[in-house]
Amino acid sequence: MNYVFGPVLSRRLGRSLGIDPIPLKTCNWNCVYCQLGRTIPLTNQRKEYISPTDILAEVEIALALHKAGGIDWITFVGSGEPTLHTGIGLLIREVKERTDIPVAVITNGALFYHPEVREAVLAADAVLPSLDVGKPWLYRKINRPHPEIPFDRFLNGLVDFRKEYQGKLWVEVMLVHGLNDTKIALEDIAAALQKVRPDEVHINLPTRPPVETWVQPPDEEGLLRARAILGDIARVVHPTAGDFDLSGCDNLVEAVTAIITRHPMHENDLILTLTRNSSGDISEILATLEQSGRARVVERYGNRFWIAASAHFPDENRSQRMVSDFDILTREQGEEADGIDR
């Protein structure tokens, strides 16, 4: 299938059947930690990237393939930003008409300044937007947004969405060591979260794998600091590991490619998945996967991850710049830039 994948084992949603309504990589952010590679080019154009009819046809096939209890959530999670698809609201409603399985939308939330985008996702049972920073200068450094989406517009959109949305609002905070895990940065995030009033805050770590080679997850001290500052509704969401469901797939290369295009896989997880879903020689299957020209390996933290061949990842061996060498502003410079923005 081209637009529906999994179920995959999600950090927060159990066995999640993914729906991807946009091509790789269609996004209005270019986050330093993104597991899908760099956004080239940035876009903030909403349109019908893929026919809703084609997407829903695959949803029906997937629902018929998986027995009751095999799917915990149906999740709109794009190869970039799913709300860039103008039919996202129609798709959510149509999926809910076909099943009682709850529907989630994983989004950066950057388009919630548009009333029509907020209205489109109101039918979802859970919405999981991002809020990684509390200041404009750090927003530009970490999320690297489209110029049409300055920080105030982004944050105000989240605030407006919370006023209208009655479902579960779970805000994701991705922590990057040396950037937004400091006391001041976390206090700024906490202040922004007080305006948004989410039901839960999910503290995530960039481990799957981050696009920029210098990105590192916070240490234990940083995680403890984040939990203390972000409050009782915050919890650390640790990475999941394990195999993926490839049942009902006639072609292993097609099935694996569908997953890694949206969800890069640690090589150990891929081997486990193939072992449980195939009687063939695993090394030969991996070689076939690489020779297909649709998948390749990228290394982060000394681990091998399988990603889509078309994803834009810098070579780890060519770029070893750490955060201190990344031209990041000091706290004083950040406050000064913040003042200029306002």
Side-chain angles (χ1 to χ4, degrees), residues 69-303:
I71 301 172
D72 299 313
W73 285 81
I74 297 176
T75 308
F76 286 87
V77 51
S79 301
E81 176 46 47
T83 62
L84 284 167
H85 194 296
T86 51
I88 186 72
L90 169 68
L91 288 166
I92 293 170
R93 294 190 300 273
E94 290 291 329
V95 168
K96 289 183 71 67
E97 287 185 3
R98 287 163 170 77
T99 179
D100 293 329
I101 299 171
V103 172
V105 177
I106 297 179
T107 171
N108 59 25
L111 284 170
F112 284 167
Y113 68 90
H114 283 299
E116 62 269 25
V117 176
R118 299 197 300 270
E119 182 179 2
V121 298
L122 290 179
D125 299 286
V127 176
L128 293 74
S130 297
L131 182 58
D132 303 318
V133 300
K135 293 292 184 180
W137 71 274
L138 198 49
Y139 173 64
R140 293 194 301 271
K141 285 295 181 181
I142 293 179
N143 301 123
R144 301 188 296 197
H146 190 280
E148 292 178 358
I149 318 172
F151 181 72
D152 284 352
R153 172 173 280 184
F154 158 64
L155 181 58
N156 289 336
L158 289 180
V159 172
D160 289 341
F161 180 69
R162 168 77 285 184
K163 294 175 182 176
E164 301 166 4
Y165 182 58
Q166 301 300 313
K168 299 178 178 69
L169 184 62
W170 299 336
V171 169
E172 174 180 300
V173 178
M174 184 71 77
L175 291 185
V176 179
H177 181 64
L179 290 181
N180 61 346
D181 64 344
T182 66
K183 180 176 182 292
I184 290 177
L186 288 165
E187 288 174 344
D188 290 338
I189 295 171
L193 287 169
Q194 287 181 352
K195 297 177 181 179
V196 178
R197 298 183 295 107
D199 299 301
E200 295 181 9
V201 174
H202 296 167
I203 302 170
N204 286 334
L205 289 65
T207 57
R208 204 206 266 166
V211 58
E212 304 301 346
T213 59
W214 51 264
V215 168
Q216 295 289 325
D219 55 23
E220 187 63 29
E221 181 181 352
L223 288 178
L224 290 173
R225 183 166 52 242
R227 290 189 64 183
I229 293 175
L230 299 184
D232 294 339
I233 62 172
R235 63 183 178 92
V236 178
V237 180
H238 292 285
T240 56
D243 63 318
F244 295 75
D245 188 350
L246 302 183
S247 60
C249 299
D250 297 327
N251 186 309
L252 283 178
V253 170
E254 294 285 342
V256 171
T257 301
I259 292 175
I260 64 175
T261 299
R262 295 94 177 180
H263 190 295
M265 295 176 67
H266 192 289
E267 188 165 75
N268 291 342
D269 293 338
L270 177 55
I271 290 172
L272 179 60
T273 296
L274 294 174
T275 300
R276 293 186 176 179
N277 288 272
S278 173
S279 58
D281 183 271
I282 302 304
S283 60
E284 290 183 3
I285 297 174
L286 291 177
T288 300
L289 181 62
E290 191 163 24
Q291 292 165 9
S292 72
R294 300 176 62 184
R296 64 185 178 93
V297 172
V298 65
E299 292 192 11
R300 292 292 185 270
Y301 314 129
N303 297 309

Side-chain angles (χ1 to χ4, degrees), residues 318-336:
R318 289 184 308 178
S319 176
Q320 293 292 337
R321 295 165 63 189
M322 299 304 289
V323 174
S324 58
D325 299 322
F326 187 63
D327 190 32
I328 197 70
L329 296 174
T330 62
R331 173 167 62 88
E332 292 78 12
Q333 290 172 317
E335 295 297 332
E336 180 180 354

